[in-house]
Every structure is written in C-alpha cells, then in structure tokens.
Amino acid sequence: MTAADAAQEFFATDASPRASWRMAVLMGRNSRTYKFALGHALLQLAGQGHAEVSLADLAAPYALSLAERAADAPQAPGGSAGGTTDFLTVVGREGTQSLRLGHPTEELLAAAVRSMPVMVMQKFHNLSGAALGHRFYELGPGTGGRRTVRFTDALRRIAASEQAPGLHTELGARWRIVENSFDTGIGRSLIDDGLRVDGPTMGLTDRKHRRPIAHLTPAVIGFQHHRCLICDDVIVPGAPVQVDHVFPRALMTRYSAVRAWPGPDLDLLWNLAPAHKACNGGKSDRPPEDVELLRLARRNIAIMSSPHPLRRTLELQLRIPHGNRRAANWPEFLREVRALVA
C-alpha cells in the first residue's frame, strides 16, 4: 500500500475535518517545521473566534512560536539554511529579541509575511499523491495592500470542538519528534533504528542513547482519530488514559514457562495503543478481538504513511513472527501473531 493509499484509507475511516487536519500535521513531509508553526497559529486564532485575520496577524504567532522552538531545538536539518534572507536565518538573528519583547520584531514579522504565502501556506493542504478532503484557510488580496486570511468553516469547527486541546497536543508531540530527527546528535539514530518504548514511562526514546523524544500517547493517538482502540469512542479531554498491550504482555510470560516465546516483542510500538483506563482495565489479559486487530492494523498503516522516524519504527517491526521474512502488510502480520496464541 502506498502512502497515498494509506492516507486515503485513514480519511475514509472518519471523513471529517479533523481527519484532514491530522493528515496535514501527521502525514505530510517535514523538510522544516513551518507547517507545525502554521498549524499552531491557525488553531490559536480560530479558537479565539476569528473568521478572518490579516496575514500579519497570522504571521505573528507563527513567527513567535518558531522563535520559541528554535531557541531549544533545530527547526531544519543541519546545513539546510540559506542566505541572510532565509526565514530561519532571520529567526536566528531576531528570535532572542522577539522573545524578550513577547512579539516578533519588525524584521521577523516582515520576513514571515513575505515568506508564508509562497512557502508553507502553499504546501499545508498538499500531501504526496493525496489531496486533503478539507481546506482550512483561503488567502485573499485584502484592502489597502493588507492581505487577509479567511478561516474556513472546517477550521473554525475543529478549533472550537472538544477535541481541539488534543489536536494542539498531537501537533506539539509531532513537532518534537521532527525536531529530534533534525538534531545531529539524535536524528541519524532515529532514521536508522527508529524509536523504542520505555516501559515504565511509556515514552518514546532513541534506541542508541535512550534519550526521551515524546510520550507515546500524544505521538500516536491522532493516528487512531483520538479514539480508544478497545471501545472506539473518542477519548475526551481529561479522561484517564492507559496504553494497552493489544496482544497482552502476559502471553510472553506464559509461553516462557514451557518454551521460548516464538513471536515478536509485545512491548514494541506496533502492539501498544492508547485506550480508556476503564476499557484497558476491563480487557485485562484477554486476547484481542477481531475488531480490535482491524483498528490496530489501520492505526499502524496510518503511522507508516507518516515521515520518519515513526514510519521507520514500524518498518523494522513489520516481520512475520516465524523467521526473518517480511510480512506483506499489517493484517497479515497480526494474523500470524494471533495464530501463535490461538
């Protein structure tokens, strides 16, 4: 299945503005972090009730959020910055003063207004080989030389919905993962080896140095449409959440009493999914039901349509439990695991 096919299947599961938003944020390419800054600004201003703003008003939170993040982490791969007018170069030059002021400097704001229409705002709605089902803004000419940005009903609905806090959190987690993939001290390890899961904290770390990257739940829950894998209901803000071992970890213990567990490691990302605390407690150590395996397969397929390093993590795990032959797809992989415990 191609990335475009996976994205379309993800959208078909929940053909809503939220799904289109998640496709843009979670599945689009990441040569720089501009789309996360734009997404942050769009949710912030639309959540405040705005239907239309000037381009400068949108550029202000966009530029300031990049200045904040750039102070702590790279916002592009090493060596990719351009000359003195490159936007990230301007961020580096004007970021400290902007943070001190609490708003972008005149130079930084002007650079954002100049670059956004020809760069990130053209690309936000585009995926490789797949078009989003919804648009979130339209850039207009404005009056008196001030360009305007009109927020669509789709953006205003999701920004005002009860899932808006979750969308903010998902965006932040994805932003952190991409920043770490740009970090020369971490990025190569993530791209080559993917991510590991730290059992006690359920955090995602790089395999080589085990440095924290992001918490598992906000990093992957968007690929589940923010739904509990067990009951399929939306996990509302503030609801207690646990990470479910879809195939219970106890299976490895039970097998080891007789012989070595012949299947894949059940503590890895492919088998871990956020769920309601009550649903996870009620499930206990029972094997997964057919519908839960279908949801897990769809979730993993969606993750594999995203850029590194989450995709790489599942690429490394997508193997038939018997031998080293690669499984053709996630439904096949999960059937093989189920056959071991049937």
Side-chain angles (χ1 to χ4, degrees), residues 30-42 44 58-77 86-100 102-105 108-109 111-113 115-116 119-121 124 171 175-176 178-179 182:
N30 303 307
S31 59
R32 295 187 173 198
T33 63
Y34 295 155
K35 74 174 181 183
F36 304 120
L38 177 57
H40 165 78
L42 290 170
Q44 176 181 312
L58 181 65
Y62 166 84
L64 193 62
S65 65
L66 278 167
E68 291 171 348
R69 305 290 295 225
D72 297 319
Q75 302 302 303
D86 180 87
F87 185 64
L88 284 183
T89 302
V90 179
V91 170
R93 189 167 60 242
E94 296 292 313
T96 299
Q97 178 66 5
S98 296
L99 295 177
R100 186 179 300 117
H103 59 79
T105 63
L108 181 57
L109 184 63
V113 169
S115 64
M116 289 172 67
M119 187 177 54
V120 65
M121 295 188 76
F124 189 85
L171 185 151
W175 199 339
R176 284 192 295 276
V178 172
E179 286 171 339
F182 292 157

Side-chain angles (χ1 to χ4, degrees), residues 290-309:
D290 288 345
V291 69
E292 293 163 355
L293 290 185
L294 175 61
R295 292 170 192 151
L296 181 62
R298 286 176 174 170
R299 194 284 305 268
N300 286 350
I301 290 168
I303 291 176
M304 287 191 66
S305 70
S306 70
H308 291 303

